[in-house]
Amino acid sequence: MSRNDDPIKTLQAVFGYPAFRGRQAEIIGQLLGGGDALVLMPTGGGKSLCYQLPSLLRPGCGIVISPLIALMQDQVAALRQYGVRAAALNSAIGLREAREVESALLAGELDLLYVAPERLLTPGFLALLERARIALFAIDEAHCVSQWGHDFRPEYLQLGVLHERFAGVPRVALTATADPLTREEIVERLALHSAQVFVSSFDRPNIRYTIVDRKEARQQLLRFIRDEHAGQAGVVYCLSRRKVDETAQWLADQGIDAIAYHAGMSTTDRERNQARFQREEAVVVVATIAFGMGIDKPDVRFVAHFDLPKSIEGYYQETGRAGRDGLPADAWMAYGMTDVVQQRRMIDESEADETHKRVSGAKLDALLGLCETAGCRRVRLLEYFGELSTACGNCDNCLFPPSTWDATDAARKALSCIYRTGQRFGVLHLIDVLLGRETGRVRRWNHAQLSVFGIGADLAEAQWRNVFRQLVALGFARVDHTAHGALKLTPASRPVLRAEQSVQMRRDLREKPVSKKSRRKSLFAGLTASASVAAGAAPAALSGSDQGVSEQLLQDLRAWRLAESREQSVPAYVILHDATLVQIAAQLPQSLEQLALVQGIGERKLERYGEKIMALVRGAHP
Ligand code: ADP
Ligand code: ZN
């Protein structure tokens, strides 16, 4: 393979990508110059190339420290497809193979070596490294040093040793965790004080954010998956293990290839399900947040939140697992009053101290603000991470601007109802009273006698639910868990009750039916736009037309890829990414030279698959 000192030429020759993304070129330059780097980039931003390329260009082998043993094999397989000499060392690898890898390292026959931190830290391995030539150390998922995050790995704390023992070797730490506190911890614990820090925009322009009002949750989820993502891979996040199991089963009963993942399952079951998701093309995983860091699949087309996440950080990290390949992807959430009640209860009833509860409460409020906003979701999200932006054109609110209504009168009625019933009842009963329903509970508490009984007949039950939810989200009422989810007034309730303040609310969050056809179109169009996505620009052409994409050829290519991946027992995307297949089907290359220009076709892949691909192109378009 042709490698030379020029990073861009190596990028093109080996990986078949025309240009660097974002700050990749700068980061690579820093490492090639022998300096250290701290890289903060969103998931899917392209962190791996930042250490892979310098490992190819610097003398010696790049050592990549990663906690994700389950993924190492796939990463190594993907690199080998590009002709890179890569290997992994971890507990899943047998003694003999480990010896072979070690001698290849000493003989200078490796470009990249992935190791688990516990392996790296053994005295034997450190001694071996001292005898080898090392291009750089890459510490992936560097936020694992943070004792406050839920990905904490104690071994990561000892990685400072690299600085002491291999002083001259450049080190790069990489993470998708954005907050400043974690960043400081990484610098401190990994002794990266002199590292240059590279912060990328955390925007993921190819992800479309949608938040719908939960009505009949399962049906909504099913429709979303069937109408917009049939036959595609996705993740559905639920809060509890039980809900994970039930939802996975239910989806499976509806004919979706859905499987469960949560920490309560046996390791074997978990690993099997993760491997199926990773390797097959159209598996839907229903999971708790335990399913997370280990997902390295580029073609996850949607992430759905069936329950409200705990914070915007969590939401963003989870949704970030969609669309790593830069193609259009969906982040979809169903949200309702019960979520707010449940989350508040979890905070109130937790063992945490008051400060912690206050912080959790504030995080929940920020998330509710995102759910209720009538403005651009992306602007809200990025603002939360300290980035200013303008309306994105690729979220539900931008695409289908919600209308607002003057809810002053409704808010007053609702708050009076809370007050008159003694601030002791939950939403269901309050709505019964407003609608004038003679339920058992109404009779028991004599609530038909109250002045508020039946004053809400002008709105339907669903509208009242919406009003109460927004009242809580906007801070005009609060949920008290020490009293079984009873709604209470807040200081902000007063001016509304006294008609001194008006209240605007957004209309029902509607499901926005987007036809299957238009979504497919946008997937194709996204490809032609992927160059601009790669350059960090907004994918303006996300809803363009799919003219010129040969569906037949695409199918043929996928079938061939599947057969190839089975034969080699690697995931399909390791052979070629979707993006590459669609580009071939759109451009119909007429020669190997033209095929070489398609993104993702490096020299090695051209050599290995070029003729087969050309035969398929010619077959479909003689
Ligand atoms: P991260 O580790 O930051 O989540 P990856 O390194 O897995 O992201 O990269 C995400 C995707 O982007 C991969 O499919 C990768 O091949 C692709 N990619 C990375 N850099 C480029 C580039 N310069 N041009 C085109 N595609 C790229
Ligand atoms: Zn928007």
Side-chain angles (χ1 to χ4, degrees), residues 376-379 391-395 397-398:
C376 174
R377 309 261 190 219
R378 194 180 313 270
V379 166
C392 73
N394 193 28
C395 72
N397 286 350
C398 280

Side-chain angles (χ1 to χ4, degrees), residues 82-208:
Y82 287 114
V84 175
R85 300 172 302 172
L89 273 184
N90 56 50
S91 52
I93 277 157
L95 205 62
R96 221 185 71 215
E97 198 185 334
R99 291 279 166 272
E100 279 168 23
V101 170
E102 288 175 9
S103 49
L105 173 69
L106 288 178
E109 289 161 2
L110 281 181
D111 299 313
L112 275 155
L113 176 58
Y114 287 77
V115 274
E118 57 276 8
R119 181 70 166 235
L120 177 100
L121 291 163
T122 58
F125 191 74
L126 287 171
L128 180 81
L129 283 183
E130 272 170 351
R131 291 193 290 141
R133 187 144 196 202
I134 302 168
L136 56 80
F137 287 108
I139 302 163
D140 208 1
E141 313 290 353
H143 62 280
C144 291
V145 296
S146 166
Q147 278 162 295
W148 310 112
H150 54 61
D151 293 330
F152 176 57
R153 304 281 167 126
E155 312 87 54
Y156 263 63
L157 292 177
Q158 296 167 48
L159 291 177
V161 72
L162 296 177
H163 175 54
E164 292 151 29
R165 288 185 66 163
F166 305 90
V169 180
R171 290 173 304 145
V172 53
L174 311 101
T175 179
T177 303
D179 70 282
L181 233 97
T182 312
R183 192 191 312 179
E184 276 168 35
E185 265 190 288
I186 295 173
V187 168
E188 204 52 50
R189 302 204 189 280
L190 297 179
L192 281 169
H193 303 279
S194 55
Q196 191 174 339
V197 181
F198 297 89
V199 186
S200 302
S201 164
F202 271 72
D203 188 17
R204 298 286 310 282
N206 60 314
I207 298 182
R208 175 177 296 180

